[in-house]
Amino acid sequence: MRLLTTWLSLISIFLTGLVSCRPVRREASGPEVPTQLPRTARPMHYSISVVPDAATLRFTGSEAIDIEVLQPTDSITLNAAALEFQAVTLTDKANKNVEARTSVDADKQSATFKFPSVLSSGNYRLAINYTGAINLHATGLFALDYDSPEGRKRALFTQFEAPDARRFIPCWDEPNYRAPFDLRVTVPAGQEAIGNMPQSSRTQKPDGSSEIVFATTPSMSSYLLFLAVGEFDRITTMVAGTEIGVVTKKGDGEKGRWALEGAAQILPYYNNYFGVPYPLPKLDNIAGPGSSQFFGAMENWGAIFSFESLLLNDPAITSEERRQAIFKVAAHEMAHQWFGDLVTMAWWNDIWLNEGFASWMGSKATGVIHPEWDPLLVRIASRESAMNQDSLSTTHSIVQNITTVEQISQAFDAITYNKGQSVIVMLEDYVGENAWRQGVRDYIATYRFKNTVTDNLWNAVEHAAAKPVTAIAHDFTLQPGVPLIRVRTAECVDGNTKVTLHQEEFSRDTPKKEPLSWRVPVIASTLGGAEVRTLVTGGSGDLTVSGCEPLIINSGQTGYYRTLYPSPQLERLKGAYSKLKAADQIGLLADNWELGLAGYESAVTALDLIDAIPGEATDDLWSRATRILDETYDLYEADRPGQERVARYASAKLNPILKSLTWTAIPGEKPNDAVLRAELIGALGKFGDAEVVAEANRRYSTGDPSAVSGPLRTTILQLVALQADAARWEHLLDQAREQKKPLVRTALYRLLGGVRDTALAQRALELALADEAGPGNSSQIIGAVAVLHPDLVFDFALQHREKVESFVDVSSRSRYLPRLAWRSADPAMIEKLEDYAQRFMTPQSRKPADITISMIRDRIRVRQTRLPDITQWLAAHGS
Ligand SMILES: [Zn+2]
């Protein structure tokens, strides 16, 4: 499924989705979902011909759908949105034609074709002539404009997930209606077209245009159909009988080389892992210039779409973090080619089957192919992002009830992606790597070219593992929330540690509520000792761990729960912190930071741990510590002395690490040294560290090569933009305007929104409103301003609501505005959001507002009740 944008994943708690505080036990969905199409007919095959007119942003389409009428009816209803119908004809087996009377329901995004008499069950052909719009944001068939050496260009792409194929073709736009697609398109002279399948023919017409016909796709869901039209380069390589390609705008082909080489490593790994070879003859990854507020890449079968910043490796601007991300995103999208495309969820309730699984599989492949990138931090960061959302009462279960298009859009959140991934990590560890893989192989073999519900996967794994995993899986996927494992007692008896555990629920906003119950697989060890496993069931568990060294629960950090130690155990762990395994160092730090903020223990335990980090710690641990200090700094927003205290402590702690890394890559350094270098410069610069700020400014104003091109460019420019005065901000704007490369241009425009000065932030909003950079970039500028000025941005967006909403696709609008207020700590914002939800949201779609409200309440609580102890701690530690 689509991959969240970086902006979204940074603001990882951006919570959306259906909320259900009680377990949702219903797995399957089907015709009983009221918004689904009537089950009277189904598509057997689509034949589509389109002629886009990029200049007028319109296209004409003609479509022939072979259908089966399942029960007698005098009408057929399918999905269509913003399409205009010219003629609809039904042909029966005897070749008799009848004209249909068409009526359109814009709210339901459907069209109904009514016939003069009742159709008996059987096969028919439905022929439809229609026209539609080419959008300027990434939905349906859409256009992306960019500069080239020959002037302004426009390329066309499609984005159909979740339910937007209906903006391109009238169709049964629900994932369980699979059918083969034949697609043909007429393209102007000099242009190329890319589809899911290879081209089977190309015919030039007298006017210079060409009709391109693609080979028939396998049976698949409508949301996976793809088309791109433009002036492209395509580089390819053959791997295991599959032609892998990267498609870019003309002139950029070689920038796709890094992604192409990555895909060539990933494909054989997946062919082997899934046990079913990649089923299409080719697999392209197509780069789109620009950006979208809501996604970065999309797994169309055989034709992955990625925005350029997640596909092109451009030495002018690509950081090490981004270079790794290009590989990771490809690994995620390629996993979907099996999990999502070959086997597809029956309905959006189970979207996590796509997203959680692809996130997990992509991380796993990355860890195998690039162990030097250390997938550990990513795994724990993913868990933390999920738990942040999952510990508020506005969370939802992984498997959820979805009825409206807004709810589908809202389902692409941290629970679906990150909790999904984290739960799979835990269950794979519980049944064992081999049994898990066998279960996955059986599942893929059984359900290929079919649709599934979540229990189909659990049954396959349970059968392969011969171990009862379904009950545990249900606990974690059908009910929301985060288990808390409290260590009740831990006593040294005859050289072993006897432990009793109690299961509660970790909650940031309703800690006293009756906890939900989970079966929790727990792994424990003492420092340096062997791991012992138990399943905490019915609220309690006990185990005996060999040795009496400090006790570690969730050893290896594969469990989806938080651990609360009694203070003697915690003190021993603090004392032994530098000796713990890297995973447990990071996990313990992350756990205790959140437990402290939530009020389960002292707010400063995590700071004690940061204070105990040895200089030679891993990049990943320093990275996690940097993030926590960054979050602490943000919690003191509008409290200058508070922020200065954090800054002084952080400088003392982190600046020596940056000094040891230096600003320039050291020959032979680890790749993650480069990632950490950028993170440290970014964080220290934000805290106002005098040395770092001066160095960034020096590099910028002297035109140092690192500020003009290379992996630190964005980091340096971010700092310059953050502190910009009017003259410097205008200078940055000139640079963005003059920039011809869309990849760099998009990054430069976004930087303009990251300014601290309020008047310039307002200026950035006006710049976005003028929409000179395109809707995708404009929505990103607004999102960037919202990080430091949420209240200003929300008021502004409300004042210009229609224009601002026009920058994002229709089904994503319900989560766009509320999300802008996410970082507010102003009680007045709660009222504003309530008012906004009342006026502009339906009861079914107001979840994003409720989530933002719960986050703001939580932020206010933390500032009032947790910061005083942190302030004292900082004062006692030299700040
Ligand atoms: Zn995905």
Side-chain angles (χ1 to χ4, degrees):
M1 195 28 176
R2 42 193 194 174
L3 197 89
L4 304 180
T5 60
T6 312
W7 190 75
L8 178 53
S9 50
L10 278 177
I11 298 187
S12 49
I13 324 194
F14 205 72
L15 338 178
T16 42
L18 258 201
V19 172
S20 157
C21 291
R22 284 176 308 151
V24 180
R25 288 286 170 188
R26 193 160 54 84
E27 274 281 291
S29 62
E32 75 269 25
V33 177
T35 51
Q36 289 179 340
L37 293 168
R39 266 41 184 160
T40 46
R42 67 185 178 115
M44 310 295 289
H45 174 266
Y46 291 92
S47 183
I48 303 150
S49 176
V50 290
V51 183
D53 183 350
T56 63
L57 293 173
R58 299 288 303 172
F59 69 94
T60 59
S62 62
E63 181 184 39
I65 317 174
D66 294 326
I67 63 168
E68 182 184 5
V69 172
L70 299 166
Q71 57 193 69
T73 176
D74 65 351
S75 70
I76 289 171
T77 300
L78 43 59
N79 291 113
L83 299 179
E84 289 166 21
F85 293 89
Q86 277 82 52
V88 178
T89 312
L90 188 80
T91 308
D92 67 12
K93 279 159 286 189
N95 260 338
K96 201 174 126 229
N97 294 333
V98 282
E99 299 290 320
R101 210 175 64 237
T102 303
S103 59
V104 169
D105 187 327
D107 285 343
K108 290 184 175 163
Q109 303 187 344
S110 69
T112 296
F113 308 133
K114 184 114 171 126
F115 303 100
S117 57
V118 171
L119 312 174
S120 56
S121 302
N123 295 337
Y124 298 83
R125 170 166 283 201
L126 194 56
I128 306 169
N129 290 329
Y130 63 101
T131 55
I134 299 172
N135 298 299
L136 288 174
H137 45 66
T139 188
L141 180 62
F142 67 96
L144 291 174
D145 295 347
Y146 60 94
D147 288 316
S148 81
E150 299 87 46
R152 198 91 178 128
K153 301 277 184 186
R154 171 168 283 176
L156 306 180
F157 306 89
T158 59
Q159 170 59 33
F160 293 159
E161 193 181 31
D164 288 318
R166 62 190 64 173
R167 297 176 188 279
F168 183 64
I169 47 168
C171 62
W172 278 258
D173 199 11
E174 295 173 13
N176 53 327
Y177 285 112
R178 301 181 81 105
F181 289 82
D182 274 309
L183 178 62
R184 60 181 64 205
V185 58
T186 300
V187 304
Q191 296 207 6
E192 199 40 86
I194 308 289
N196 302 84
M197 296 293 284
Q199 296 179 5
S200 58
S201 74
R202 179 181 187 123
T203 313
Q204 191 160 351
K205 298 180 176 178
D207 65 356
S209 66
S210 295
E211 187 183 60
I212 292 172
V213 181
F214 297 102
T216 309
T217 72
S219 176
M220 66 181 199
S221 305
S222 51
Y223 78 93
L224 295 169
L225 187 66
F226 181 77
L227 174 66
V229 177
E231 295 177 26
F232 297 137
D233 276 351
R234 180 168 183 258
I235 59 170
T236 62
T237 184
M238 282 300 289
V239 177
T242 301
E243 186 183 70
I244 300 180
V246 171
V247 178
T248 67
K249 63 185 182 297
K250 230 172 199 9
D252 275 351
E254 278 311 307
K255 293 188 189 120
R257 185 67 61 187
W258 166 245
L260 187 74
E261 287 166 357
Q265 292 174 295
I266 296 163
L267 192 86
Y269 177 80
Y270 286 164
N271 279 343
N272 176 53
Y273 190 93
F274 289 112
V276 172
Y278 176 73
L280 273 60
K282 67 97 179 172
L283 174 56
D284 280 317
N285 197 337
I286 298 102
S291 63
S292 154
Q293 186 61 57
F294 285 105
F295 79 106
M298 170 67 205
E299 72 271 19
N300 317 292
W301 213 358
I304 296 164
F305 172 85
S306 307
F307 281 106
E308 283 186 350
S309 70
L310 290 171
L311 183 55
L312 301 189
N313 180 24
D314 187 339
I317 197 155
T318 303
S319 65
E320 174 61 23
E321 180 273 331
R322 189 45 64 115
R323 206 175 69 93
Q324 295 185 13
I326 289 168
F327 184 96
K328 292 169 186 173
V329 170
H332 175 109
E333 302 305 333
M334 287 172 71
H336 277 308
Q337 305 297 307
W338 286 260
F339 234 90
D341 299 0
L342 181 60
V343 181
T344 312
M345 77 270 143
W347 180 244
W348 303 105
N349 287 10
D350 287 308
I351 183 61
W352 90 278
L353 262 183
N354 274 10
E355 295 310 334
F357 192 93
S359 299
W360 168 80
M361 186 83 254
S363 299
K364 189 175 180 77
T366 303
V368 169
I369 298 168
H370 283 292
E372 76 280 11
W373 293 348
D374 197 348
L376 195 63
L377 181 70
V378 177
R379 200 176 77 200
I380 294 176
S382 176
R383 181 188 81 183
E384 290 305 305
S385 146
M387 285 187 179
N388 272 337
Q389 175 171 351
D390 211 15
S391 56
L392 289 169
S393 54
T394 43
T395 187
H396 61 82
S397 54
I398 284 182
V399 178
Q400 52 179 330
N401 280 327
I402 300 280
T403 55
T404 69
V405 289
E406 284 95 354
Q407 287 171 348
I408 301 172
S409 172
Q410 290 164 14
F412 291 89
D413 68 354
I415 297 298
T416 296
Y417 284 75
N418 299 332
K419 184 176 182 182
Q421 169 173 6
S422 303
V423 168
I424 292 175
V425 165
M426 179 171 67
L427 296 176
E428 183 204 21
D429 188 75
Y430 180 70
V431 302
E433 199 173 12
N434 292 338
W436 178 268
R437 184 181 58 220
Q438 191 55 50
V440 170
R441 284 181 178 174
D442 294 346
Y443 170 85
I444 294 283
T446 306
Y447 297 106
R448 55 186 167 157
F449 302 108
K450 295 194 177 105
N451 294 72
T452 57
V453 293
T454 296
D455 269 0
N456 297 136
L457 177 64
W458 302 146
N459 291 341
V461 171
E462 183 155 304
H463 187 259
K467 205 171 170 183
V469 67
T470 302
I472 303 168
H474 279 177
D475 286 351
F476 281 89
T477 56
L478 300 182
Q479 59 185 6
V482 183
L484 175 73
I485 295 293
R486 184 189 290 270
V487 179
R488 268 244 173 100
T489 59
E491 291 167 20
C492 181
V493 180
D494 300 333
N496 295 320
T497 305
K498 289 181 91 68
V499 185
T500 57
L501 303 173
H502 191 241
Q503 180 251 298
E504 300 168 23
E505 182 172 350
F506 174 72
S507 170
R508 278 151 64 206
D509 56 1
T510 50
K512 295 214 167 58
K513 79 169 174 135
E514 188 64 28
L516 294 169
S517 175
W518 290 264
R519 276 152 278 220
V520 186
V522 169
I523 303 173
S525 71
T526 54
L527 180 62
E531 287 181 345
V532 175
R533 288 157 183 263
T534 191
L535 188 67
V536 171
T537 308
S540 61
D542 49 65
L543 70 171
T544 302
V545 191
S546 71
C548 291
E549 293 291 303
L551 171 74
I552 303 145
I553 302 292
N554 204 1
S555 177
Q557 305 297 314
T558 51
Y560 188 77
Y561 57 88
R562 294 216 183 275
T563 307
L564 184 60
Y565 296 91
S567 117
Q569 263 69 39
L570 195 55
E571 289 307 314
R572 293 188 71 198
L573 280 170
K574 281 188 201 168
Y577 192 59
S578 63
K579 298 188 206 129
L580 300 184
K581 284 185 287 190
D584 294 329
Q585 286 178 326
I586 300 171
L588 196 70
L589 178 58
D591 247 1
N592 283 285
W593 172 239
E594 294 300 333
L595 287 163
L597 290 187
Y600 286 86
E601 63 177 25
S602 158
V604 301
T605 303
L607 297 177
D608 287 342
L609 293 174
I610 289 175
D611 214 48
I613 297 177
E616 67 279 11
T618 61
D619 290 332
D620 291 358
L621 183 56
W622 280 120
S623 178
R624 177 52 54 184
T626 304
R627 288 186 201 194
I628 288 175
L629 291 172
D630 187 70
E631 197 182 328
T632 311
Y633 183 85
D634 287 347
L635 283 170
Y636 282 101
E637 184 64 42
D639 172 357
R640 208 50 218 145
Q643 289 199 319
E644 280 166 7
R645 267 187 214 101
V646 182
R648 277 195 296 275
Y649 179 78
S651 281
K653 197 74 193 164
L654 301 179
N655 203 326
I657 308 303
L658 176 58
K659 285 213 170 70
S660 72
L661 291 170
T662 77
W663 281 59
T664 312
I666 300 163
E669 71 178 11
K670 296 194 293 279
N672 284 4
D673 287 350
V675 176
L676 181 62
R677 171 184 297 120
E679 283 177 355
L680 289 172
I681 293 171
L684 286 166
K686 173 176 153 182
F687 302 158
D689 180 288
E691 265 179 51
V692 172
V693 170
E695 182 61 13
N697 281 326
R698 185 193 69 75
R699 286 174 182 242
Y700 178 73
S701 38
T702 60
D704 186 88
S706 65
V708 178
S709 185
L712 278 184
R713 182 181 185 184
T714 314
T715 305
I716 291 170
L717 291 181
Q718 251 164 4
L719 287 189
V720 171
L722 175 72
Q723 303 153 58
D725 57 16
R728 187 151 274 184
W729 193 89
E730 293 294 340
H731 186 234
L732 287 166
L733 176 58
D734 288 343
Q735 283 185 298
R737 283 177 171 154
E738 286 157 17
Q739 180 55 239
K740 295 294 179 200
K741 283 182 178 179
L743 180 63
V744 182
R745 182 180 148 90
T746 289
L748 294 181
Y749 266 108
R750 191 164 40 201
L751 290 173
L752 292 165
V755 62
R756 184 171 278 144
D757 180 89
T758 307
L760 292 171
Q762 182 72 39
R763 182 87 178 75
L765 292 176
E766 281 150 18
L767 175 77
L769 202 65
D771 197 20
E772 67 176 48
N777 291 338
S778 296
S779 69
Q780 296 245 13
I781 295 172
I782 296 170
V785 181
V787 173
L788 284 176
H789 308 276
D791 303 282
L792 174 75
V793 173
F794 189 81
D795 291 347
F796 177 89
L798 211 54
Q799 194 186 341
H800 304 281
R801 190 178 57 84
E802 283 183 20
K803 178 70 180 171
V804 167
E805 284 188 344
S806 75
F807 298 151
V808 296
D809 67 278
V810 175
S811 53
S812 297
R813 285 175 190 168
S814 69
R815 57 188 167 135
Y816 182 66
L817 252 72
R819 168 172 141 168
L820 297 174
W822 175 68
R823 294 171 75 92
S824 172
D826 182 359
M829 181 57 79
I830 295 171
E831 303 270 314
K832 288 184 203 172
L833 281 159
E834 277 293 351
D835 182 58
Y836 171 80
Q838 294 275 340
R839 284 166 62 200
F840 301 112
M841 303 176 96
T842 65
Q844 293 80 25
S845 72
R846 62 165 285 152
K847 189 40 110 182
D850 291 339
I851 288 168
T852 306
I853 288 169
S854 69
M855 291 171 68
I856 294 170
R857 288 210 170 103
D858 189 57
R859 203 170 177 82
I860 294 170
R861 177 191 63 75
V862 168
R863 281 164 61 99
Q864 285 173 351
T865 67
R866 310 312 289 161
L867 283 191
D869 284 354
I870 293 176
T871 303
Q872 267 194 1
W873 188 96
L874 290 167
H877 286 75
S879 291

